[in-house]
Amino acid sequence: MQFPYRMAWVVGLILFVIFIQGLWKTPEEEDQGTKILRLLASLETHVSEYLAAIRSLRSEIALLSDDGETETSHVSGRERESSLSMKEASPRNSGHASRVLKTLLSKNRLKLVNLYNALPHLLDSEDALTPALTIGKQREGVSVVLGIPTVKRPTQSYLLPTLQNLLNSMLPSEKNDTLIIVFVAESDVSFIQSTVSSITRQFRRDVETGLIEILAPSSSFYPDFKSLKATLGDSEERTKWRTKQNLDYAYLMMYAQNRGTYYVQLEDDVLSKKGFISTMKNFAISNSVKGDEWFMLDFCQLGFIGKLFRSSDLWKLVEFILLFYQDKPGDWLLSHFFSVKYCKLDYNHKRCLRELSKRWIRNKPSLFQHIGMVSSLNGKVQKLKDRQFGKLELFTRHDNPEARVESTIKHYGRFSLDKAYHGKTYFWGLAPEAGDTVTFIFPQPINLKSYRFVSGNAEHPSDKLYNATLEVLPANLQTSTSSHNSPNIVAKENGYIIIDEFDDLGILDAKVPPHLNPLSAVRITLKNPSENWVILSEIFLEKG
């Protein structure tokens, strides 16, 4: 931090102290000052300047008050945001201001420990603790906040399927009481823009309602990773990877801590079970009724996935992570935190485990499953699975209308199109080429109300349909020839009409334009060859 900015901060601090001291001349006025402090604390969530100053100001006020009895909040590594209105110092206070400045700069005076001690590089930039980007409605007061950090992976991203799965697993009432914060933990502007574009396009309504919020940090938040010393026998690349991951956890927790009652740490490559929000809330409430000893509720046996904390407790964990963020992986630090906090030196192993089980409570079966195979660490392949999650649902069954099915794509093993259409398994096609088709032919023309096709599944998220169209064949030839005048509908020479395309998630889900009914057939056509095989895990044609 440059000297002029540092002095401006100090002068501002002095003026604010003088103003507050003017309130504290009688015991009654001290109570009023305490109320002002509490009001400041309640407003800290909504502003974006002087992030570290508010913590320092509270300690300065306590130190400089006449009787030292003013209550101050516990200072933590949590980053808070506050705007302070200050009064100018009058001439009669100039002597007092000089004494305050001398006190602040005294070498013998106790200094406040804050975030800058753990991350001194933050002093080099005024905007280091201000997010580079936030998109959302700043939803607050929810029961559950889901924190999802995401970074650039070498080949494949799981973020969009993860978000889609989380949303599909929520009830409407749960969506109204939940906030999903996607933390794009990168400084690459093009990657951030691409991620934001994908989320806002695919989940536009959820962003507009405030359910999904997107966050990106300032590039100056991160230290110079080249100066890190490798530990634990890890390579420099792995040391940088896990160090940055710890800082990402801390940043996301600091940002999210005042937004809801509970905070849940997730990853960008997971699946969830239906109704997981209500299950977590009910489990938290039931354990709180039994006693107030728990610190973390665990809904997944793997790493840092599915860990629920009271938001009011997050600062303790953040401070611990920032103390050792360069030394060990985040899941190791989590275990050490519990051991340090709850195991006394004279406890034997059995008693230590008993004490930990009161604070680290596991829910069975698990609510989340890890699906990512490609790690964000280049070259790392991880096949971690939570055995307590149970068997994955790889396809969705539906009662479809009678039809003859055909495909130019050869199926693998027992995963035929006919079995998939009748709800017995999913369709798994080998090496699709441009022009390949999947066709459903009805013995008699029928009216269709809607359709839904989902490609890929939990075990093979890459086997999706991209650049593929949905076509219908109206029984009335005149309908086919006249539909070219309708918007978003393209008539083909063979009588089929293009009505839709698979989206970025490999999904088709919409209603059939009523004027096209009745239909003789429905067909999917690939416009480009696929690098992977293709899976149709859900096929649903709803009769009108």
Side-chain angles (χ1 to χ4, degrees), residues 155-170:
T155 56
Q156 182 177 351
S157 172
Y158 303 93
L159 176 61
L160 296 183
T162 292
L163 290 175
Q164 186 67 62
N165 174 265
L166 292 174
L167 295 173
N168 290 344
S169 299
M170 291 185 198

Side-chain angles (χ1 to χ4, degrees), residues 20-34:
I20 293 296
Q21 280 200 320
L23 298 174
W24 290 350
K25 295 182 180 180
T26 68
E28 290 77 17
E29 290 173 336
E30 279 188 13
D31 292 338
Q32 183 184 2
T34 302

Side-chain angles (χ1 to χ4, degrees), residues 296-341:
M296 184 182 78
L297 303 180
D298 195 348
F299 297 94
C300 181
Q301 305 300 303
L302 302 176
F304 224 136
I305 299 172
K307 308 300 188 265
L308 181 147
F309 308 90
R310 295 184 184 90
S311 296
S312 58
D313 285 336
L314 283 177
W315 67 268
K316 303 173 187 177
L317 187 57
V318 168
E319 286 195 338
F320 193 84
I321 290 174
L322 292 179
L323 189 60
F324 301 105
Y325 73 95
Q326 301 183 54
D327 302 312
K328 293 185 177 181
D331 51 345
W332 290 21
L333 293 182
L334 185 62
S335 297
H336 290 321
F337 173 86
F338 278 86
S339 296
V340 170
K341 188 170 179 62

Side-chain angles (χ1 to χ4, degrees), residues 171-243:
L171 301 173
S173 58
E174 294 174 332
K175 291 182 179 181
N176 294 331
D177 197 28
T178 302
L179 170 63
I180 301 173
I181 301 178
V182 179
F183 178 42
V184 188
E186 294 283 0
S187 56
D188 184 337
V189 175
S190 61
F191 175 77
I192 295 174
Q193 291 176 339
S194 174
T195 303
V196 169
S197 176
S198 296
I199 294 174
T200 52
R201 182 174 64 252
Q202 191 65 45
F203 307 105
R204 179 182 58 82
R205 185 174 182 277
D206 300 297
V207 174
E208 291 176 350
T209 61
L211 173 57
I212 294 179
E213 188 169 319
I214 309 171
L215 167 71
S218 166
S219 59
S220 54
F221 170 73
Y222 297 105
D224 180 9
F225 290 113
K226 295 179 181 178
S227 63
L228 291 176
K229 294 182 179 180
T231 58
L232 304 177
D234 288 343
S235 65
E236 291 183 4
E237 184 180 8
R238 188 179 182 88
T239 300
K240 172 186 173 181
W241 172 74
R242 57 177 170 77
T243 297

Side-chain angles (χ1 to χ4, degrees), residues 60-259:
E60 304 304 341
I61 292 169
L63 179 68
L64 297 174
S65 61
D66 292 338
D67 55 14
E69 292 180 358
T70 305
E71 295 181 0
T72 58
S73 302
H74 183 90
V75 178
S76 71
R78 295 176 296 174
E79 284 316 300
R80 297 188 172 183
E81 303 173 344
S82 173
S83 70
L84 307 174
S85 69
M86 303 181 182
K87 290 186 176 180
E88 293 185 357
S90 60
R92 63 185 177 84
N93 286 325
S94 59
H96 177 69
S98 177
R99 291 194 300 273
V100 171
L101 179 60
K102 184 177 180 180
T103 301
L104 291 174
L105 301 179
S106 172
K107 294 182 179 180
N108 296 325
R109 177 178 164 272
L110 293 179
K111 305 298 182 183
L112 178 67
V113 177
N114 57 35
L115 184 64
Y116 296 104
N117 294 92
L119 304 173
H121 67 278
L122 297 178
L123 292 169
D124 297 331
S125 173
E126 298 179 18
D127 300 324
L129 294 175
T130 301
L133 173 141
T134 55
I135 295 177
K137 298 297 183 180
Q138 298 293 310
R139 180 181 285 194
E140 294 182 343
V142 298
S143 292
V144 179
V145 178
L146 305 177
I148 305 177
T150 187
V151 296
K152 186 190 303 182
R153 296 177 185 263
T155 56
Q156 182 177 351
S157 172
Y158 303 93
L159 176 61
L160 296 183
T162 292
L163 290 175
Q164 186 67 62
N165 174 265
L166 292 174
L167 295 173
N168 290 344
S169 299
M170 291 185 198
L171 301 173
S173 58
E174 294 174 332
K175 291 182 179 181
N176 294 331
D177 197 28
T178 302
L179 170 63
I180 301 173
I181 301 178
V182 179
F183 178 42
V184 188
E186 294 283 0
S187 56
D188 184 337
V189 175
S190 61
F191 175 77
I192 295 174
Q193 291 176 339
S194 174
T195 303
V196 169
S197 176
S198 296
I199 294 174
T200 52
R201 182 174 64 252
Q202 191 65 45
F203 307 105
R204 179 182 58 82
R205 185 174 182 277
D206 300 297
V207 174
E208 291 176 350
T209 61
L211 173 57
I212 294 179
E213 188 169 319
I214 309 171
L215 167 71
S218 166
S219 59
S220 54
F221 170 73
Y222 297 105
D224 180 9
F225 290 113
K226 295 179 181 178
S227 63
L228 291 176
K229 294 182 179 180
T231 58
L232 304 177
D234 288 343
S235 65
E236 291 183 4
E237 184 180 8
R238 188 179 182 88
T239 300
K240 172 186 173 181
W241 172 74
R242 57 177 170 77
T243 297
K244 180 182 176 300
Q245 190 177 61
N246 286 336
L247 291 175
D248 293 342
Y249 289 145
Y251 191 105
L252 187 47
M253 289 178 181
M254 289 188 287
Y255 182 83
Q257 65 179 332
N258 292 319
R259 310 295 289 280

